[in-house]
């Protein structure tokens, strides 16, 4: 609110970029893009324009890759001039290389992206040492290590991805030891634990390792969401970690524990706004899978408890979908299982209704 008020009076590049960052943090991607565009409009020299271009690229790289490429190309031209004039800091070099990496990864050039991210990490560490800002250095090392892991996963370099994620985990953990309530580090910690769970499954390792990782991710995300229940994005992330936890329980044969998690998942799902109802599609699939296993094993009451909310989610998603009944196929097999489960419970009327 303070930045909004200040920018209404006297907009400048630095504060508009900060406004874009805060809007992005709050999940207002469109507002972040608008603030970064305004920053470019008010830039008066090469330094300010470069700063504005970096902010613009950050808000656009996963939204408009074509415009992002144009922005990075313009920034590349400014880098030479600023270096020659001695006006390009190691921090700015790190920011530029990270944006180059983002663009390369989006264009399917994972090896090039990894090189940009690693070079950015070197520049960021050098900058942090120069200004004696350990906290910033740890946070930036965490975020760039995550991007290195993204590039490694894109080429199926699973050992490389694990090493990068473990580096990110160390950076975020060290930062949290210094600042227990550092929001960025907590968000990063949740992402890394969740990603390690996904990676464990892809590696084909022991399912309990993935389960432990998802539980750690859920614990962090539960804490964040409890601190700010209005952040829908955090709710969605928490829901995904809890869903993966349930699926992992199924994989290790802990069907009772998986069934016990249904009510908590349904409660979280009910808090998702209608405009974000498509986020519920993975949960509807997972609950459908859980219910089908229960029905197959003769656990009809548990099957109904999982299948009924799954079907309600499918209906809710389709009610909100702009493209008609795109998600209805999710419900085919679960509906059949629901019929059988209701019949197995001696409820032929409900079976007919299903």
């Amino acid at each position: 609110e303070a930045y909004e008020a200040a920018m209404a009076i006297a907009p400048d590049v630095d504060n508009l970029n900060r406004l874009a960052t805060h809007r992005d943090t709050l999940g207002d991607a469109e507002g972040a893009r608008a603030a970064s565009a305004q920053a470019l409009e008010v830039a008066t020299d090469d330094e300010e324009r470069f700063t504005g271009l970096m902010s613009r690229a950050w808000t656009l790289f996963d939204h408009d890759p074509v415009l992002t490429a144009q922005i990075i190309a313009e920034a590349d031209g400014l880098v030479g001039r600023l270096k020659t004039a001695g006006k390009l800091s190691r921090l700015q070099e790190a920011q530029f290389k990270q944006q180059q990496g983002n663009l390369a990864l989006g264009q399917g050039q994972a090896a090039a992206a990894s090189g940009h991210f690693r070079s950015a990490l070197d520049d960021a560490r050098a900058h942090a040492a120069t200004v004696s800002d350990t906290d910033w250095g740890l946070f930036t090392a965490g975020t760039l290590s995550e991007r290195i892991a993204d590039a490694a996963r894109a080429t199926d370099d699973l050992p490389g991805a694990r090493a990068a994620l473990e580096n990110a985990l160390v950076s975020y953990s060290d930062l949290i030891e210094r600042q227990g309530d550092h929001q960025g580090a907590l968000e990063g910690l949740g992402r890394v634990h969740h990603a390690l769970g996904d990676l464990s499954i892809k590696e084909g390792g022991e399912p309990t390792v993935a389960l432990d990782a998802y539980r750690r991710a859920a614990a962090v995300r539960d804490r964040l969401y409890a601190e700010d229940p209005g952040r829908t994005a955090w709710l969605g992330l928490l829901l995904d970690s809890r869903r993966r936890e349930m699926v992992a329980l199924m994989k290790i044969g802990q069907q009772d524990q998986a069934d016990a998690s249904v009510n908590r998942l349904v409660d979280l799902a009910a808090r998702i706004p209608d405009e974000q109802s498509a986020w519920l599609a993975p949960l509807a699939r997972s609950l459908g899978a859980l219910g089908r296993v229960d029905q197959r094993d003769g656990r009809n009451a548990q099957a109904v408890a999982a299948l009924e909310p799954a079907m309600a989610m499918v209906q809710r998603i389709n009610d909100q979908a702009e493209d008609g009944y795109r998600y209805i196929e999710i419900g085919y097999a679960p509906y059949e299982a629901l019929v059988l489960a209701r019949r197995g419970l001696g409820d032929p009327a409900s079976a007919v209704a299903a």
Side-chain angles (χ1 to χ4, degrees), residues 162 195-206 209-210 213:
R162 178 167 290 280
L196 284 168
D198 290 347
L199 188 61
S200 294
I201 290 175
K202 195 168 185 179
E203 289 171 332
E206 176 59 44
V209 175

Side-chain angles (χ1 to χ4, degrees), residues 203-334:
E203 289 171 332
E206 176 59 44
T208 55
V209 175
L211 174 62
D212 289 342
Y214 291 134
R215 282 179 165 165
R216 285 191 289 269
V220 175
R221 289 171 166 179
D222 206 5
R223 171 182 169 180
L224 285 168
Y225 177 62
E227 291 175 357
D228 188 357
R231 293 281 290 276
T232 304
W234 284 355
L235 171 59
L237 293 171
L238 172 59
L239 181 64
D240 194 33
S241 290
R242 290 297 184 194
R243 179 185 69 83
R244 299 292 183 95
E245 178 188 355
M246 181 192 75
V247 173
L249 285 167
M250 292 173 60
K251 287 182 180 294
I252 63 174
Q254 295 294 326
Q255 199 72 6
D256 286 338
Q257 290 188 47
D259 286 326
S261 68
V262 169
N263 287 340
R264 178 169 57 187
L265 285 164
V266 171
D267 176 64
L268 290 173
R271 305 178 201 178
I272 297 290
D274 283 343
E275 57 269 23
Q276 305 293 350
S277 60
W279 293 359
L280 300 177
L283 178 57
R285 292 183 189 275
S286 296
L287 288 174
L290 174 65
R292 292 198 302 277
V293 171
D294 279 330
Q295 187 276 322
R296 182 199 64 198
D297 294 344
R299 300 157 58 93
N300 291 313
Q302 293 89 337
V304 170
L307 293 167
E308 285 186 341
M311 298 303 91
M313 288 175 202
V314 172
Q315 186 61 57
R316 182 181 171 196
I317 295 167
N318 281 304
D319 287 345
Q320 298 296 321
E322 295 180 357
D323 50 356
Y325 289 90
R326 172 184 171 189
Y327 298 94
I328 201 66
E329 53 85 20
I330 299 173
Y332 291 158

